[in-house]
């Protein structure tokens, strides 16, 4: 069982010179332990980690749970395998003349900067990126002096954290907002909206912008406020 994999949107990065691999663990409490501590009912229902593409199939659910439980019960073996797969991805990217990017939270919200702090320094040329709904964690990524230089976070609007959204934007961070369609507004809360649909690669986004994402899967039926209707 490989830990890292890809998806249609992740693979779009190759057209921009980026080879990306993502780690898809169980969202929220799917594995029996909550791996998305700041999730809301709306985002849990709409999560792409279980409601879109191949993620809806039982085999993929079983794989997410197995990987999540491996991390919980045999962390050393998990980190060893993760590093081995990142090394293999770097080699493949070099052969193909591409930049390596790794998304560690493809469907979870784990603080890897604390769980495996040496990971980022071991791969200084790899671009690590993630989304997070954890406001304090996002703030640390913008202010902590020892935050890994090659790990960038994008804050995610949940529909229940608008005050946090405004604070993140005011302090120079980026915020991802899910819109009902891909006809994104030019601005949101007074900040430029940049499409996040051309690829999943968030490391290279300009600073202090809103990343517009199109509702997919169960998010198309959202009534919680998680999805913004313009």
């Amino acid at each position: 069982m490989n830990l890292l994999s890809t998806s249609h949107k992740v693979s779009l990065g190759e057209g921009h010179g980026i080879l990306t691999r993502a780690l898809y663990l169980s969202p929220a409490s799917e594995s029996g332990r909550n791996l998305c501590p700041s999730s809301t009912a709306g985002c849990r229902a709409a999560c792409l980690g279980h409601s879109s593409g191949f993620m809806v199939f039982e085999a993929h659910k079983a794989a997410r749970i197995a990987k999540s439980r491996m991390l919980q019960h045999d962390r050393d073996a998990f980190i060893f395998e993760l590093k081995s797969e990142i090394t293999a991805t770097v080699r493949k990217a070099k052969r193909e003349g591409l930049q390596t990017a790794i998304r560690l939270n493809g469907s979870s919200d784990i603080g890897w900067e604390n769980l495996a702090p040496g990971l980022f320094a071991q791969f200084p040329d790899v671009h690590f990126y993630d989304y997070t709904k954890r406001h304090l964690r996002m703030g640390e990524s913008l202010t902590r002096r020892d935050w890994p230089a090659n790990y960038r976070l994008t804050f995610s609007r949940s529909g229940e954290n608008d005050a946090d959204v405004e604070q993140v934007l005011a302090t120079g961070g980026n915020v991802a907002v899910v819109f009902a369609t891909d006809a994104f507004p030019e601005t949101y809360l007074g900040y430029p909206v940049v499409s996040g649909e051309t690829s999943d690669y968030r490391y290279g986004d300009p600073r202090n912008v809103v990343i517009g994402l199109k509702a997919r899967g169960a998010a198309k039926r959202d009534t919680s406020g998680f999805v913004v209707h313009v």
Side-chain angles (χ1 to χ4, degrees):
M1 178 180 66
N2 290 330
L3 297 179
L4 298 177
S5 58
T6 187
S7 69
H8 170 67
K9 189 174 180 183
V10 165
S11 67
L12 292 177
E14 295 182 32
H16 301 272
I18 312 295
L19 179 66
T20 306
R21 291 294 180 265
L23 173 61
Y24 294 104
L25 299 176
S26 289
S29 300
E30 183 184 69
S31 67
R33 181 178 178 182
N34 189 2
L35 300 184
C36 300
S38 293
S39 62
T40 63
C43 76
R44 288 193 295 271
C47 181
L48 297 181
H50 63 71
S51 74
S52 180
F54 291 109
M55 304 296 271
V56 303
F57 295 113
E58 286 299 317
H60 288 264
K61 177 180 179 180
R64 292 194 301 271
I65 292 174
K67 288 186 281 190
S68 300
R69 291 181 175 171
M70 179 184 177
L71 174 61
Q72 294 164 27
H73 301 298
D74 197 349
R75 183 181 300 178
D76 289 344
F78 185 99
I79 298 300
F80 179 84
E81 175 61 22
L82 178 61
K83 289 180 177 180
S84 296
E85 293 187 27
I86 293 174
T87 298
T89 303
V90 170
R91 289 173 179 166
K92 176 178 173 60
K94 287 182 177 180
R95 289 196 303 270
E96 298 179 6
L98 301 173
Q99 167 66 49
T100 305
I102 300 292
R103 181 177 171 184
L104 295 169
N105 285 318
S107 48
S108 55
D109 196 354
I110 295 170
W112 291 96
E113 65 281 0
N114 298 318
L115 185 69
L119 179 66
F120 307 98
Q122 184 172 338
F123 300 97
D125 296 326
V126 172
H127 294 173
F128 292 89
Y129 70 95
D130 273 323
Y131 295 91
T132 185
K133 286 188 174 70
R134 298 166 64 180
H135 181 232
L136 291 178
R137 182 175 183 237
M138 182 67 196
E140 288 185 348
S141 76
L142 298 172
T143 60
R144 232 174 76 178
R145 291 184 178 180
D146 63 343
W147 186 269
N150 56 335
Y151 188 29
R152 297 186 184 178
L153 299 184
T154 299
F155 192 61
S156 292
R157 178 190 176 276
S158 70
E160 299 181 20
N161 61 355
D162 285 344
D164 295 336
V165 164
E166 294 193 39
Q167 185 178 27
V168 168
L169 288 168
T171 53
N174 288 358
V175 175
V177 177
V178 180
F179 293 95
T181 72
D182 57 0
F184 304 136
E186 291 186 4
T187 63
Y188 183 78
L189 298 178
Y191 294 86
V193 175
V194 175
S195 176
E197 292 298 313
T198 56
S199 80
D200 188 68
Y201 179 67
R202 301 274 67 84
Y203 191 95
D205 289 332
R207 296 288 191 175
N208 205 204
V209 297
V210 171
I211 308 300
L213 301 174
K214 180 182 178 179
R216 289 182 170 80
K220 293 179 179 179
R221 303 182 294 276
D222 174 73
T223 58
S224 71
F226 171 67
V227 175
V228 173
H229 294 262
V230 178

